[in-house]
Amino acid sequence: MPKRDLLIKNVLAEAEKDQLEAYEESLFDGMDFNGFRITPEFKVYTGDDGAKGVYFDIWVKYAAYSLKNPKYTQDYENLLGAVKSTDFNFNASLSNISAGIGIGTQWFIKERIAVDILWLGVGYNHSVMSAEYSSNAIDIDWDKWQEDATSFNDFGEMTFSKTDNGLKAEFKPLIPIALRGSITLGYKF
C-alpha cells in the first residue's frame, strides 16, 4: 500500500512541475528586456607611483531599463467571483540616478594586469519604477488588483492610476542610499 501512495505522490509532483514550467514559459515567452547603465568616475590616488595604491573616487550613475511582455495568459477572478483566463500585457520601466564617493585599491600583476577593488562606495540614490498591467477583458476587478499590490508599500511609496483597460503603478523606494563595491580586472597596454 505505501508504494502505491508514493507513486501517486510522484505523479502529482511531476504534473505540478510540468504545470509550473508551462506557466513560466507562457509568462516569459515573447518578453523583451533592454536597457543600459553608465557610470563615469573620477579617481584620486594617494601614492606617488601613478595609478597604484589606495584611491578615493567620485561617481555618478545613470541607468534605464525596460521590460515588455506583449501578451501572456493568466487566470483572474472576475467581478462576479468566477475564475477566468485571459491575455494580459505587461510593460515596466526603471530609471535610476545615483552619485557618491568611494575608497578602493589598485595594483598590477606582472606590470600588465590591473586589479582594482572598490572597497566601499556610498551615495544618494533616486529610482522610479513604473509598471502597467492591462487586458482587453472587461470584467476584471482592477480595484482588487490595486489592493493586492499595496503590499509593496512596505518597501517604498507606491501610487496607482487606472488606465482605459488596466492599472498603472509607480514605485519609489524608501531608502535613498546607494552602495557600491566592485572588483575589476584590466590589461595595461
Side-chain angles (χ1 to χ4, degrees), residues 6-24:
L6 185 60
L7 177 63
I8 291 171
K9 285 180 182 177
N10 287 340
V11 168
L12 290 174
E14 193 64 33
E16 187 176 283
K17 180 182 166 197
D18 291 345
Q19 186 179 16
L20 180 62
E21 287 174 358
Y23 171 74
E24 288 175 348

Side-chain angles (χ1 to χ4, degrees), residues 35-59:
F36 71 95
R37 178 177 78 179
I38 184 167
T39 310
E41 56 188 318
F42 178 74
K43 295 180 181 179
V44 176
Y45 291 88
T46 60
D48 295 332
D49 197 15
K52 275 176 130 175
V54 176
Y55 65 83
F56 297 94
D57 76 342
I58 299 170
W59 51 271

Side-chain angles (χ1 to χ4, degrees), residues 10-150:
N10 287 340
V11 168
L12 290 174
E14 193 64 33
E16 187 176 283
K17 180 182 166 197
D18 291 345
Q19 186 179 16
L20 180 62
E21 287 174 358
Y23 171 74
E24 288 175 348
E25 186 178 307
S26 73
L27 181 63
F28 298 114
D29 189 33
M31 189 175 288
D32 180 30
F33 175 80
N34 60 53
F36 71 95
R37 178 177 78 179
I38 184 167
T39 310
E41 56 188 318
F42 178 74
K43 295 180 181 179
V44 176
Y45 291 88
T46 60
D48 295 332
D49 197 15
K52 275 176 130 175
V54 176
Y55 65 83
F56 297 94
D57 76 342
I58 299 170
W59 51 271
V60 175
K61 179 181 82 171
Y62 177 75
Y65 302 102
S66 69
L67 176 69
K68 295 179 180 175
N69 195 349
K71 180 180 154 184
Y72 70 95
T73 304
Q74 180 176 329
D75 292 341
Y76 71 98
E77 187 176 316
N78 71 4
L79 294 168
L80 300 174
V83 175
K84 294 176 113 183
S85 184
T86 191
D87 290 334
F88 285 91
N89 298 310
F90 178 76
N91 295 313
S93 65
L94 171 72
S95 63
N96 169 271
I97 188 162
S98 57
I101 57 173
I103 185 169
T105 307
Q106 180 170 286
W107 69 92
F108 292 90
I109 299 172
K110 299 202 180 210
E111 300 296 320
R112 289 284 183 209
I113 299 172
V115 179
D116 184 324
I117 298 177
L118 175 63
W119 297 106
L120 178 64
V122 179
Y124 174 77
N125 180 52
H126 177 75
S127 297
V128 175
M129 185 184 93
S130 174
E132 188 170 344
Y133 210 56
S134 62
S135 175
N136 290 329
I138 59 172
D139 59 349
I140 296 175
D141 186 357
W142 291 110
D143 290 329
K144 180 169 179 1
W145 283 60
Q146 178 176 338
E147 188 178 297
D148 291 344
T150 56

